[in-house]
Amino acid sequence: MSRLIITIGRQYGSGGKEIGKKLAKRLAIPFYGKEELMKLAKEKSGYEEVSCFYEEQPINSLLYAIAMNQEEECRGKRAFDRIRKLCENQSCVLVGRCGNYVFKDDADCTRIFLYAQKPDKVNMVTKRDGISPAKAEARIEKIEQERADFHKYYTGETWGRAEHYDLCIDTGVLGIDQTVELILDYLKLRK
């Protein structure tokens, strides 16, 4: 198998992290989510330069941007370069971290976006997190707004737009395991 990078953008409550882990396991390649990337970044020098990217610190604050001395054109460059370097000679599944943007020009990359209808996301978050549907709905709205802001800040693009992905899947229709199977079938067809 040649190098294969799969990036997964996802709505909160669509099962993206679980799907990414199962996909990586089935393909026998590394899985990188926020925690895994942060751990790898901390092991290297210069983590402070990219900490705001990994820790998702407030991005809508002008004072924060000034304090971090982040220039408009370089916002994600260092963090993106580190992610590219991590994946330059290996296959992997990358969840979040603007992966679709980081690898948009890489022929070895398949960019996926996972979403679900609101009732399906509320149901998943309610069960997974053990909270009421009202709290789940509020959490979904908050986290999705944060993801949209984060993506816009670092890429200049609107998060979740179909034209920025190769495959968009409603996980509420298929469920976790069938979504993994669909992605595997898509990868076979794409070869």
Side-chain angles (χ1 to χ4, degrees):
M1 177 174 80
S2 64
R3 179 172 163 258
L4 172 66
I5 297 173
I6 301 167
T7 66
I8 298 177
R10 76 275 183 233
Q11 289 182 338
Y12 190 73
S14 66
K17 188 173 182 180
E18 185 178 353
I19 290 165
K21 284 182 175 183
K22 285 186 174 200
L23 193 58
K25 186 175 182 178
R26 291 279 302 274
L27 293 167
I29 60 177
F31 169 84
Y32 298 118
K34 176 182 173 180
E35 294 82 16
E36 293 81 7
L37 286 173
M38 191 181 306
K39 181 179 180 217
L40 289 171
K42 284 181 178 179
E43 292 172 358
K44 307 225 183 272
S45 64
Y47 175 74
E48 297 75 30
E49 294 176 350
V50 295
S51 64
C52 58
F53 179 79
Y54 291 104
E55 296 170 14
E56 296 180 11
Q57 293 174 355
I59 56 172
N60 57 353
S61 165
L62 177 59
L63 291 177
Y64 176 78
I66 292 169
M68 292 306 292
N69 193 26
Q70 294 181 334
E71 298 173 11
E72 186 88 17
E73 65 276 3
C74 297
R75 284 185 182 146
K77 185 174 181 349
R78 287 185 193 109
F80 293 170
D81 287 346
R82 286 174 179 240
I83 292 171
R84 274 189 218 94
K85 183 127 181 93
L86 175 69
C87 301
E88 71 184 347
N89 295 315
Q90 69 169 342
S91 296
C92 68
V93 174
L94 173 65
V95 174
R97 307 296 88 193
C98 307
N100 69 304
Y101 184 85
V102 173
F103 294 103
K104 69 181 179 180
D105 297 323
D106 193 316
D108 296 327
C109 181
T110 299
R111 301 168 304 149
I112 298 168
F113 189 78
L114 304 175
Y115 67 97
Q117 301 306 311
K118 191 175 194 175
D120 295 321
K121 292 186 294 187
V122 168
N123 187 41
M124 180 176 276
V125 172
T126 298
K127 287 179 181 174
R128 183 188 66 210
D129 299 350
I131 58 177
S132 71
K135 285 186 179 179
E137 190 171 332
R139 184 177 291 175
I140 290 164
E141 287 178 23
K142 178 183 181 290
I143 291 173
E144 286 188 358
Q145 186 60 56
E146 289 170 353
R147 286 181 180 172
D149 292 344
F150 182 87
H151 193 85
K152 182 75 168 179
Y153 180 81
Y154 283 103
T155 69
E157 295 179 352
T158 302
W159 175 70
R161 300 253 336 230
E163 63 266 22
H164 300 300
Y165 301 91
D166 301 306
L167 182 64
C168 298
I169 305 169
D170 184 341
T171 62
V173 172
L174 296 178
I176 302 293
D177 292 330
Q178 290 302 312
T179 297
V180 171
E181 293 303 322
L182 177 64
I183 294 169
L184 291 169
D185 287 345
Y186 177 81
L187 294 171
K188 287 177 195 168
L189 292 170
R190 185 174 165 150
K191 273 189 175 181

